[in-house]
Amino acid sequence: MEDSKPKSLNFLEEIVQENLAAGQYPQGIFTRFPPEPNGYLHIGHAKSICLNFGLAQKFGGKTNLRFDDTNPMTEETEYVESIKKDVSWLGFTWANELYASNYFEQLYEFALELIKKSLAYVDDSSAEEIAAQKGTPTSAGTESPFRNRSVDENIALFQDMRAGKYPDGAKVLRAKIDMAHSNMHMRDPLMYRIRHVAHHRTGNAWCIYPMYDFAHGQSDSMEGITHSICTLEFDVHRPLYDWFIDKLAIFASHQYEFARLNLSHTVMSKRKLLQLVNEKIVHGWDDPRMPTISGLRRRGFTAASIRNFCDRIGVAKRDNLIDLSLLEFCIREDLNKSADRVMAVLDPVKLVITNYPDGQVEDLAIENNPEDLDSGKRIVPFSKELYIEREDFMVDPPKKFFRLGPGLLVRLKGAYIIQCDHFELNPDGSVKEIHAQYLPNSKSGQDTSGIHVKGTIHWVSIPHAVEAEVRLFDRLLIVEDASELGDDFLKFINPDSLQVLDKVYVEPSLREAEIGEAVQFIRKGYYCLDPDSTAERLVFNRTVTLKDTWAKEQNK
Ligand code: ATP
Ligand code: MG
């Protein structure tokens, strides 16, 4: 699915191109990625990262990483560290690492400036009173009784707010705009609130904190951000963004909005992801079922596959829902090129090759990746007793079963053709052991048997097998679109999102695998070694199946 024709520009690229053609921004464009450090980044943030960094890369600009840390209640240094790790891992380098909290003093000065211009006032109204004053979208609001305080009184009160003279909620600073404005965000919005809470960076230096709307645009402006890109729900904030910049007469950053990424069968807001973690529905932010960057990484997704996904979905102006299978398609495509093929038996049953010499071991050289001719070969030991996949044998096979059954012939991958001549059952009717004869002249690569078999199955030599645990993951939610569910999403958790296979046998070469390394278990899917692995016990995560079985299930 490689695109050979040049891709047309997305609407943001068109805007930048026009700006540059008109001679604006001769120093180059400047974008920023502004996460609030109140959780781990998710795939939606990856979209924003790729977009912001991608625009700057494409048009010769720069991108800042700015932590939007104006809410001390929910922010933590642990999140700052994880965000930096994730952005780097995705392959991007920021021009500057910045914090909105760096600007607290300057923002305070800006607020004083607006007070002096009679464009801001201290309001003693309670949160409920302020909400009631707001009016409705169809009716004008009412002015606060504190709206017409003098400039001097406002300055004194605001200084006292900063000095900690008032408890939380006693006063706020509001912009003085228009209580009848058709845009509710312009009806004297809050600029500052009192919070006697320690901040993860400024400690107890401040007890008043700026609101998002007062911090974001001014931070953009101070950094010289030319294109401030955010998601659609902020379009109603844009007039306020422009109003502050205009009244303060500072560098005119501009805000542009695009549709946020919504992914099927999962939730994406950090608040909901935190709920999954806190309620122990998943085993942490990096649980491989999570749509977080750290979860996807642990699951075995590569940075390239995520960037590719973000590129493919494009930049939309309307909200839409992207199917998780597109993300899976992207990782499959990447790993198909890069992952070595190995053999692992997930549901083992014993196979004895009765005419193979006792105690003999052959070191078979099997190619690592037929898609990558430089990947070489590895040694896989073959012996008389093997594990094969239980589903590869049927006592009473239907006609087109090109695997093993009484009398049937099949090739063992990289080894010999065998024919089944006997099997034994357990008391419960399941197959206990399968016996077969091999054709000594049918060895892969030097086959002179003249026999053609349709099926090839994978196997692991029992005396050489390494026992492992395999974790299979499925959709986190059983509903496709969780965007309208609110907190009800917890009722739609897929009870089978994690399945653990604790007696899997893998070929011995996997003892050398490194944490995070991706492999293809042939005929089974792409897997990677989980950090829970120890020298005694390997743990593999299934990244993705070889084919899109989900779509098939749905069509049944
Ligand atoms: P959440 O609701 O998941 O907590 P957020 O928007 O509050 O997300 P921020 O840390 O404020 O998270 O977001 C940082 C940047 O990432 C913002 O510019 C935001 O617009 C963008 N972003 C967040 N979620 C998405 C998404 N699903 N798709 C695209 N961009 C997103
Ligand atoms: Mg946010």
Side-chain angles (χ1 to χ4, degrees):
M1 267 182 76
E2 288 289 290
D3 287 337
S4 50
K5 60 177 188 305
K7 282 181 71 173
S8 56
L9 298 182
N10 67 49
F11 81 96
L12 290 168
E13 291 168 340
E14 277 173 5
I15 290 171
V16 171
Q17 196 173 50
E18 280 166 25
N19 293 154
L20 295 177
Q24 274 174 288
Y25 315 125
Q27 320 290 344
I29 64 160
F30 220 134
T31 59
R32 88 286 173 260
F33 173 63
E36 188 181 347
N38 61 349
Y40 282 62
L41 297 183
H42 52 62
I43 181 84
H45 293 115
K47 174 69 216 175
S48 173
I49 292 167
C50 291
L51 185 54
N52 278 295
F53 283 89
L55 263 185
Q57 278 175 358
K58 185 159 189 166
F59 293 98
K62 288 183 182 163
T63 306
N64 283 344
L65 173 62
R66 184 201 316 139
F67 291 98
D68 198 349
D69 58 348
T70 54
N71 182 0
M73 319 279 279
T74 51
E75 295 159 1
E76 288 173 30
T77 306
E78 173 199 342
Y79 297 138
V80 169
E81 294 309 317
S82 77
I83 289 168
K84 282 171 22 181
K85 178 174 173 185
D86 288 350
V87 177
S88 299
W89 179 77
L90 276 174
F92 298 105
T93 310
W94 48 89
N96 304 288
E97 175 187 332
L98 299 163
Y99 295 80
S101 57
N102 290 352
Y103 309 133
F104 281 170
E105 192 64 49
Q106 178 65 62
L107 291 169
Y108 177 80
E109 294 299 324
F110 283 151
L112 278 177
E113 200 178 318
L114 292 180
I115 291 175
K116 287 175 190 160
K117 290 180 174 167
S118 282
L119 292 172
Y121 61 97
V122 173
D123 194 336
D124 301 359
S125 305
S126 67
E128 295 74 36
E129 285 162 345
I130 290 175
Q133 289 161 16
K134 277 261 149 166
T136 69
T138 49
S139 63
T142 47
E143 295 188 352
S144 162
F146 302 96
R147 196 172 199 262
N148 295 313
R149 280 176 157 152
S150 70
V151 167
D152 287 344
E153 189 184 2
N154 278 318
I155 291 176
L157 288 171
F158 189 50
Q159 284 170 340
D160 285 349
M161 278 170 66
R162 176 180 183 169
K165 293 205 178 155
Y166 307 110
D168 287 7
K171 289 182 169 35
V172 291
L173 185 73
R174 294 176 76 176
K176 193 170 180 177
I177 307 179
D178 179 0
M179 288 307 292
H181 202 289
S182 58
N183 181 335
M184 303 274 286
H185 291 275
M186 298 296 275
R187 296 183 185 175
D188 291 12
L190 301 198
M191 292 166 59
Y192 270 90
R193 64 220 187 296
I194 303 174
R195 284 274 184 286
H196 289 270
V197 175
H199 183 277
H200 76 113
R201 295 189 83 240
T202 58
N204 291 312
W206 293 86
C207 65
I208 56 171
Y209 291 97
M211 303 298 291
Y212 170 89
D213 283 319
F214 189 62
H216 203 91
Q218 281 59 260
S219 303
D220 284 342
S221 177
M222 281 183 265
E223 291 173 16
I225 301 303
T226 54
H227 297 77
S228 175
I229 297 161
C230 61
T231 43
L232 275 187
E233 67 274 20
F234 285 96
D235 67 343
V236 285
H237 295 247
R238 190 172 359 104
L240 184 55
Y241 181 103
D242 292 340
W243 190 88
F244 283 128
I245 285 179
D246 179 49
K247 298 302 173 198
L248 290 165
I250 51 179
F251 175 79
S253 297
H254 290 286
Q255 177 186 300
Y256 302 90
E257 306 89 21
F258 75 105
R260 64 194 298 119
L261 164 64
N262 295 308
L263 201 58
S264 72
H265 302 99
T266 192
V267 285
M268 210 100 93
S269 105
K270 281 179 283 190
R271 193 179 58 78
K272 289 180 182 167
L273 296 175
L274 181 64
Q275 229 172 320
L276 291 172
V277 173
N278 286 343
E279 298 189 18
K280 303 211 171 2
I281 293 165
V282 296
H283 304 137
W285 284 99
D286 69 343
D287 186 303
R289 291 167 290 178
M290 293 279 269
T292 51
I293 312 255
S294 48
L296 291 167
R297 177 168 59 229
R298 185 162 177 186
R299 171 95 168 239
F301 279 76
T302 58
S305 70
I306 294 177
R307 288 195 306 265
N308 191 251
F309 169 75
C310 291
D311 193 39
R312 267 174 212 249
I313 57 180
V315 183
K317 280 193 200 176
R318 284 216 194 143
D319 280 323
N320 54 4
L321 182 70
I322 306 288
D323 201 284
L324 201 50
S325 54
L326 179 61
L327 184 58
E328 295 182 339
F329 172 85
C330 292
I331 186 62
R332 237 181 241 123
E333 185 186 51
D334 190 13
L335 294 180
N336 179 42
K337 286 183 236 138
S338 62
D340 282 350
R341 276 61 171 159
V342 295
M343 294 198 279
V345 177
L346 303 189
D347 184 13
V349 64
K350 185 173 172 183
L351 168 72
V352 181
I353 303 174
T354 48
N355 61 338
Y356 194 82
D358 286 341
Q360 177 170 310
V361 177
E362 277 180 88
D363 283 336
L364 304 176
I366 301 185
E367 61 183 346
N368 284 322
N369 185 355
E371 298 288 321
D372 174 4
L373 297 177
D374 297 330
S375 65
K377 293 186 172 182
R378 69 189 185 290
I379 298 300
V380 185
F382 181 84
S383 70
K384 185 183 180 83
E385 297 194 341
L386 312 171
Y387 287 124
I388 62 167
E389 213 70 66
R390 190 167 284 282
E391 64 179 13
D392 284 338
F393 178 82
M394 280 181 89
V395 171
D396 191 11
K399 250 204 173 127
K400 290 198 169 159
F401 188 73
F402 300 121
R403 291 179 261 171
L404 210 50
L408 294 185
L409 290 143
V410 79
R411 175 171 294 282
L412 294 172
K413 171 76 186 168
Y416 298 93
I417 295 173
I418 56 166
Q419 181 168 31
C420 170
D421 54 11
H422 177 73
F423 64 91
E424 288 168 20
L425 297 180
N426 288 309
D428 67 0
S430 60
V431 176
K432 183 179 170 203
E433 198 170 300
I434 301 158
H435 290 184
Q437 307 243 358
Y438 84 119
L439 278 55
N441 60 353
S442 68
K443 192 169 178 176
S444 282
Q446 50 203 74
D447 183 355
T448 55
S449 68
I451 294 177
H452 176 70
V453 291
K454 279 210 168 136
T456 299
I457 63 173
H458 59 278
W459 50 274
V460 172
S461 161
I462 293 180
H464 306 92
V466 178
E467 202 180 302
E469 173 181 324
V470 161
R471 299 175 183 166
L472 307 176
F473 307 106
D474 202 348
R475 295 353 190 201
L476 198 49
L477 297 188
I478 53 171
V479 281
E480 199 176 347
D481 185 358
S483 59
E484 306 288 318
L485 291 178
D487 284 344
D488 273 355
F489 79 96
L490 288 174
K491 294 187 193 136
F492 297 91
I493 300 290
N494 176 3
D496 302 319
S497 63
L498 170 63
Q499 193 193 341
V500 177
L501 306 179
D502 57 8
K503 235 182 172 36
V504 165
Y505 291 100
V506 302
E507 62 169 71
S509 72
L510 284 168
R511 275 216 186 86
E512 316 303 324
E514 284 170 25
I515 301 295
E517 185 176 328
V519 286
Q520 184 193 103
F521 288 175
I522 62 170
R523 302 175 62 227
K524 287 287 154 196
Y526 294 100
Y527 291 74
C528 75
L529 194 65
D530 188 83
D532 282 348
S533 300
T534 61
E536 289 73 45
R537 188 163 182 79
L538 301 180
V539 179
F540 290 93
N541 295 323
R542 184 173 70 195
T543 309
V544 68
T545 54
L546 287 181
K547 293 202 187 87
D548 188 354
T549 50
W550 174 261
K552 260 196 277 172
E553 289 281 319
Q554 297 305 293
N555 294 331
K556 262 187 192 165

